Amino acid sequence: MSIQKFYFALFAFLCLSTIGYSQTPDLNNDTQTRPTAVAVPIESEPLVDGNILKDEVWQKIKPFGGLLQSQPNYGQAASERTDIRIAYTEHTFYVAVVCYDSDPDGLVVSDARRDALLDNTDAFLFIVDTYKDNQNGFIFGTNSLGVEYDAQVDNEGQGNQNTNRQQGGTIGGFNLNWDGSWKVRTSVHNEGWSAEFAIPLRTLRFQPGKDWGINFRRNIRKTNEIAYWSPMPIGFNLNRLSLAGTLTGLKLKTPRNLKVIPYVLGQLAKDYEAINPKAKFTPEVGGDIKFSITPSLTLDLTYNTDFAQVEVDEQQVNLDRFNLFFPEKRPFFLENAGLFSVGSPGEVDLFFSRRIGIGDDGNIVPIIGGARLSGKLDRTNVGLLTMFTDEVEDAGIHKNNFTVARVNHEFKGRSALGAAFINRSGIGIQDDFNSTIAIDGKLGLGRKARMTGFYAQTNGPMDTINEHSFRLKTDYVWNSWEIGGGYTEVGEGFNPEVGFLQRSAFRKPEARVLYHYRPKNENSVILELRPHISYNSFWNFEGFQETSFTHIDNHWEFKSGMEIHTGLNLTTEGVLDPFEISDGVTVLPGTYRHSESQLVFFTNKSKPVSINIRSVIGGSFGGKRYQQSGTLSVRLGDRFNSDFIYLYNNYQLPVGDFTANIFRSQMTYSFRPNLYVQSLVQNNSANELWAVNLRLGWLQRANTGLFVVYNYNVREGDPLNNSIIIKYSRMFDLIN
């Protein structure tokens, strides 16, 4: 079948599949009226201490609630009452909630750190769509300890499902590393627990004179319950802003915003591979400036940008012949990252910020400075980023300028059209440049389906052919169905140097069908079954199939929080050129077709002790592959959290046998939500590396504060390098 016929057949199937399916009535009706709440202007500010029931300011405001369950009993009223109040002053947006609970002594709190995941705890979260564009928003949340949890959402949180078999998860659409300046206080009492949020308006981006989209979520862990104010159909979560409610009554003035965030740093480092290894002390100063040109358009300036406080990368082993994806973790690049995202994240990233300041072999390239202008003009998202990096003589890296220009106009009905320009230029070097131009868009087909796509072209000093890439994708998500398909093509000469390609020169059709089945019997121990099948295949431009992956699976989710995944994978690997998969083991050219079983099992993650086991057994490159992974999570109270992870890969191939294993230990002790110590110890058997990362964080506003970091690396039993870094940063708000 030709690619064109495949895509036409897939699209026809998708259209037919949207007809005739129904689930629980009312909540899946896309014409259902969404709830409305009113924000109340107040003259006197409440005392933000969590004691809402004793605060006269809050008691004068009528609460609202009426949350409905998403699980376990879909569509029914939440088992516990939730009262929500919203108010605002000229400078601050307030949300107060009383989470009534019949057993406040049984509240589950699993982590006390800032931005700790709240999925497995008693928690309250809300999202605000400050532009009322049904696409973008800010999430705030907390638990009964008063943890500060915040994130940015773009494109309703819809990113890209990573297709690398050695990695998993969805990339893009949700940015947990956004850190705003705000505060929350909580109180546990006989009626349950309460939380009080105070968010300065200058922390948000909004357009005065508009209503906001808003939705609320509460987790009640003793019953593994999730409930929403604006009901969410099965398969959706808080990010689905087109299904949020409306917040009215806002009469906001334009806030002014000018923040200066300087830092000082001292590093003592020793490189044991140097000719004359000895400790070297390096002092540094730098910082950022954040200025709001308008309430929705912000200018960020940075000088001598440093990311010492950022977690190190998790070790990976490349057991294939394609590139591994390491996600961006640096806060400066993660703020508004969704605005600059173009392409297919994790597979064909046209702009990948890790190309700035990080060399090909992982070495640090100093960032001299730069600027970013980002925000919204009416319904148009705009972004301009320019960064300058210094030279690294030992690595042969010259000074460079990186520039990204991005515009994306959003239309009603979840549709948009955009363009991007990405460029790298060597400073003072002739004919040292690489640029990418792209157009992209999405077409919303009601609330249930959409079509997305992009087309890109690269340009450089070398004359090459087929410097193009494009993708078309269609998906339908509604009535418990998730159906999608697409086609991606990357030309032989396509070379985005400031992007990321998992592999080059391919044509890829893909399709996926998943169904959420909820048993009607309320006494059923099973919460949900998720049978699904997915397929993707990579072909080169000579018609040779390099990879085919068919995944047939069913997820068994129990009301107890336990899950079992039972799957079958059918794989094809076409190898044209021999490659070394491990030291001394070379895979020969040929076509290898295999099948493998896949089993995943994990227990309730909110319990003090939980496990996660994944096992894949089957054929690989003409032989056998045994891939096992296990995670033991141990929690002591609400302060100590730990994960012990072991990844085991055993290959028995005709050309040789080998094992490649990774051990990872992550432990955290939180003295308070803003004061913690954390360790990450990793061992990679493939390169005989032990890596230790110890961090102490004493957080202040918006994740600034004091950080003490110690790194120590050992390879083949010999010290490789070590360093101790002390960094202090502080946010100064120059306009109160």
Side-chain angles (χ1 to χ4, degrees):
M1 179 185 291
S2 68
I3 294 300
Q4 291 82 1
K5 290 182 179 179
F6 169 83
Y7 197 79
F8 177 79
L10 181 66
F11 181 72
F13 171 71
L14 175 64
C15 293
L16 291 173
S17 298
T18 63
I19 302 173
Y21 294 111
S22 63
Q23 187 195 293
T24 303
D26 297 328
L27 293 185
N28 273 334
N29 184 353
D30 60 344
T31 61
Q32 180 189 3
T33 301
R34 294 281 140 180
T36 298
V38 179
V40 178
I42 54 177
E43 295 295 331
S44 59
E45 298 182 347
L47 177 62
V48 181
D49 58 1
N51 294 314
I52 297 165
L53 297 176
K54 298 179 181 179
D55 193 316
E56 292 184 3
V57 174
W58 289 120
Q59 291 309 303
K60 293 178 182 178
I61 298 175
K62 183 179 179 181
F64 63 93
L67 277 63
L68 297 176
Q69 293 185 41
S70 172
Q71 70 174 53
N73 301 313
Y74 178 76
Q76 294 188 14
S79 62
E80 302 281 3
R81 175 181 158 196
T82 306
D83 283 353
I84 304 168
R85 297 170 172 88
I86 299 177
Y88 66 94
T89 65
E90 183 180 355
H91 304 290
T92 308
F93 178 73
Y94 295 97
V95 173
V97 60
V98 180
C99 298
Y100 290 91
D101 197 295
S102 56
D103 182 22
D105 293 332
L107 293 172
V108 176
V109 181
S110 60
D111 204 334
R113 289 176 296 164
R114 192 185 204 279
D115 280 340
L117 293 178
L118 300 177
D119 291 346
N120 304 304
T121 72
D122 281 275
F124 179 80
L125 305 93
F126 63 94
I127 188 168
V128 285
D129 175 4
T130 56
Y131 297 113
K132 200 65 170 72
D133 58 15
N134 296 328
Q135 295 292 298
N136 309 291
F138 300 92
I139 288 181
F140 300 91
T142 194
N143 55 22
S144 58
L145 285 180
V147 166
E148 293 182 5
Y149 176 94
D150 54 12
Q152 268 185 324
V153 170
D154 66 274
N155 196 27
E156 294 192 280
Q158 299 176 66
N160 181 60
Q161 189 71 26
N162 197 341
T163 57
N164 189 329
R165 285 194 295 157
Q166 298 177 44
Q167 305 166 50
T170 300
I171 300 169
F174 179 83
N175 178 13
L176 181 60
N177 290 280
W178 176 79
D179 292 307
S181 176
W182 58 285
K183 68 178 179 179
V184 62
R185 296 293 183 268
T186 58
S187 173
V188 179
H189 41 74
N190 293 334
E191 290 82 6
W193 65 284
S194 304
E196 216 168 345
F197 299 80
I199 304 169
L201 290 173
R202 58 184 177 271
T203 295
L204 303 170
R205 299 183 179 188
F206 62 92
Q207 291 179 317
K210 275 192 172 184
D211 293 338
W212 290 1
I214 197 165
N215 201 2
F216 305 90
R217 167 178 166 170
R218 182 179 173 188
N219 298 341
I220 306 172
R221 284 308 297 177
K222 65 175 179 285
T223 55
N224 287 332
E225 186 173 327
I226 298 175
Y228 293 96
W229 176 64
S230 184
M232 287 291 109
I234 290 175
F236 293 93
N237 57 30
L238 198 63
N239 301 339
R240 190 72 171 190
L241 283 164
S242 58
L243 298 177
T246 300
L247 181 64
T248 65
L250 296 167
K251 297 179 181 179
L252 305 177
K253 296 182 179 180
T254 302
R256 297 180 297 167
N257 186 20
L258 176 60
K259 295 185 176 74
V260 177
I261 313 169
Y263 78 85
V264 293
L265 177 149
Q267 175 178 265
L268 183 66
K270 186 175 183 179
D271 183 359
Y272 289 90
E273 293 187 320
I275 298 175
N276 183 23
K278 60 181 181 179
K280 179 183 178 181
F281 178 75
T282 305
E284 289 187 19
V285 295
D288 301 337
I289 296 176
K290 184 181 293 290
F291 174 65
S292 292
I293 299 174
T294 71
S296 57
L297 195 63
T298 300
L299 174 67
D300 293 279
L301 303 175
T302 181
Y303 168 71
N304 197 23
T305 316
D306 181 82
F307 308 101
Q309 76 276 18
V310 177
E311 293 183 3
V312 298
D313 289 322
E314 294 182 353
Q315 291 286 317
Q316 299 184 45
V317 178
N318 195 340
L319 299 173
D320 216 325
R321 57 216 189 271
F322 307 110
N323 298 323
L324 293 175
F325 181 85
F326 290 89
E328 177 65 88
K329 295 185 177 182
R330 299 171 295 175
F332 181 84
F333 293 111
L334 283 168
E335 183 170 354
N336 291 321
L339 192 155
F340 292 93
S341 177
V342 192
S344 178
E347 183 177 77
V348 186
D349 260 313
L350 303 184
F351 171 58
F352 186 44
S353 56
R354 280 180 67 104
R355 300 298 185 207
I356 305 174
I358 302 178
D360 292 337
D361 58 355
N363 55 299
I364 301 299
V365 180
I367 296 177
I368 300 171
R372 176 182 60 213
L373 180 68
S374 59
K376 207 175 186 84
L377 299 174
D378 195 16
R379 296 187 68 90
T380 303
N381 298 294
V382 294
L384 179 64
L385 174 72
T386 182
M387 303 292 292
F388 295 88
T389 59
D390 210 344
E391 64 181 353
V392 182
E393 293 185 6
D394 295 343
I397 298 175
H398 303 284
K399 290 184 178 182
N400 277 280
N401 169 251
F402 297 85
T403 299
V404 184
R406 175 73 163 130
V407 61
N408 180 265
H409 184 78
E410 295 172 342
F411 303 92
K412 292 183 178 180
R414 301 194 303 136
S415 299
L417 182 64
F421 173 74
I422 302 116
N423 185 75
R424 180 201 61 80
S425 297
I427 299 175
I429 303 175
Q430 189 174 5
D431 292 332
D432 180 21
F433 70 93
N434 178 269
S435 63
T436 304
I437 57 173
I439 58 172
D440 68 328
K442 58 185 177 183
L443 176 64
L445 306 175
R447 289 183 176 176
K448 302 180 181 180
R450 67 172 186 169
M451 298 184 69
T452 61
F454 75 87
Y455 179 87
Q457 192 92 19
T458 58
N459 183 40
M462 304 295 292
D463 291 330
T464 56
I465 61 172
N466 295 334
E467 296 181 273
H468 72 277
S469 174
F470 68 88
R471 187 187 197 199
L472 296 173
K473 186 182 178 187
T474 308
D475 60 61
Y476 168 89
V477 184
W478 203 262
N479 293 335
S480 298
W481 286 94
E482 296 182 24
I483 306 172
Y487 174 73
T488 306
E489 181 171 304
V490 173
E492 299 100 313
F494 187 70
N495 179 33
E497 290 186 8
V498 196
F500 172 83
L501 291 181
Q502 187 186 51
R503 60 172 85 192
S504 58
F506 67 83
R507 290 170 170 161
K508 173 197 171 187
E510 60 183 310
R512 179 174 180 265
V513 178
L514 181 146
Y515 182 72
H516 298 264
Y517 171 74
R518 294 281 181 92
K520 296 181 180 179
N521 182 2
E522 292 185 5
N523 297 321
S524 172
V525 297
I526 294 178
L527 171 65
E528 182 175 280
L529 301 178
R530 292 187 294 275
H532 58 277
I533 180 171
S534 62
Y535 167 82
N536 63 69
S537 182
F538 294 83
W539 304 74
N540 68 16
F541 283 79
E542 283 71 46
F544 181 75
Q545 188 178 48
E546 295 182 337
T547 299
S548 174
F549 186 71
T550 301
H551 175 64
I552 306 168
D553 201 346
N554 184 37
H555 294 181
W556 308 68
E557 183 176 357
F558 295 82
K559 291 181 179 178
S560 65
M562 181 179 72
E563 277 198 39
I564 300 175
H565 304 173
T566 52
L568 171 68
N569 301 327
L570 306 176
T571 67
T572 299
E573 292 291 346
V575 180
L576 287 172
D577 301 309
F579 72 96
E580 192 174 50
I581 191 172
S582 183
D583 289 341
V585 181
T586 300
V587 176
L588 302 177
T591 296
Y592 304 93
R593 293 185 174 88
H594 296 287
S595 62
E596 57 188 21
S597 64
Q598 178 175 306
L599 177 66
V600 177
F601 169 78
F602 56 87
T603 60
N604 189 339
K605 297 178 183 178
S606 66
K607 298 296 183 180
V609 178
S610 63
I611 60 172
N612 186 326
I613 298 172
R614 181 177 184 268
S615 174
V616 177
I617 301 174
S620 179
F621 296 117
K624 295 289 186 180
R625 175 173 76 128
Y626 301 90
Q627 185 182 68
Q628 319 292 330
S629 67
T631 300
L632 171 65
S633 300
V634 179
R635 172 174 56 86
L636 301 178
D638 52 31
R639 298 185 182 276
F640 178 79
N641 281 269
S642 62
D643 291 315
F644 302 95
I645 304 163
Y646 189 69
L647 309 175
Y648 171 80
N649 295 281
N650 178 267
Y651 281 70
Q652 300 175 9
L653 307 181
V655 292
D657 302 343
F658 70 93
T659 59
N661 309 319
I662 289 178
F663 170 76
R664 187 180 305 130
S665 167
Q666 297 172 296
M667 292 184 286
T668 302
Y669 185 84
S670 301
F671 301 94
R672 298 194 300 270
N674 67 331
L675 179 62
Y676 67 89
V677 290
Q678 180 174 303
S679 71
L680 174 60
V681 179
Q682 302 183 85
N683 173 244
N684 187 333
S685 70
N687 54 17
E688 298 186 52
L689 175 70
W690 279 93
V692 178
N693 173 252
L694 304 176
R695 297 194 306 148
L696 180 145
W698 185 11
L699 305 182
Q700 297 178 2
R701 297 173 57 194
N703 214 27
T704 60
L706 175 67
F707 299 91
V708 181
V709 183
Y710 176 71
N711 294 298
Y712 185 61
N713 297 305
V714 176
R715 176 171 290 160
E716 297 179 353
D718 296 321
L720 188 62
N721 55 62
N722 63 16
S723 65
I724 183 168
I725 304 168
I726 300 177
K727 176 181 178 180
Y728 180 74
S729 61
R730 184 168 182 178
M731 176 181 289
F732 295 93
D733 197 340
L734 302 186
I735 302 178
N736 293 316

